[in-house]
Amino acid sequence: MTPHAIEVAALAPSDAVLTGYDEAHAITYRRLLDADADGADWREVARVVLGCDPDNDPDCVRKTYESHLARARWMTTNGYEHLLRGGAPH
């Protein structure tokens, strides 16, 4: 993985509630959704948005990409409600 301002976990959260990780990665999620809507290749998105090198470990990076994209989609259908109620529990 290349250095980024915010470190990306191997897998995004799958909790049914908003997490601090989700809040910290809101921009990452938005970028993933935008890239997906544009039809961008997952490998390039992994490099640019997640800071992962798909050439190094394609299976692992693909799982990282897919889990974060799934979480980004969850944010648009469920997670935003948690944001409206004040964000992740502390």
Side-chain angles (χ1 to χ4, degrees), residues 36-50:
D36 185 60
D38 289 343
D41 182 84
W42 75 267
R43 292 167 202 83
E44 185 65 19
V45 176
R47 277 188 195 93
V48 174
V49 177
L50 301 177

Side-chain angles (χ1 to χ4, degrees), residues 31-78:
R31 292 178 70 198
L32 287 169
L33 292 169
D34 288 345
D36 185 60
D38 289 343
D41 182 84
W42 75 267
R43 292 167 202 83
E44 185 65 19
V45 176
R47 277 188 195 93
V48 174
V49 177
L50 301 177
C52 300
D53 182 1
D55 296 330
N56 187 33
D57 189 349
D59 292 335
C60 182
V61 173
R62 182 70 186 236
K63 289 177 186 173
T64 299
Y65 166 79
E66 288 176 354
S67 76
H68 282 80
L69 181 57
R71 190 61 172 188
R73 289 177 176 147
W74 176 85
M75 289 289 293
T76 66
T77 58
N78 296 64

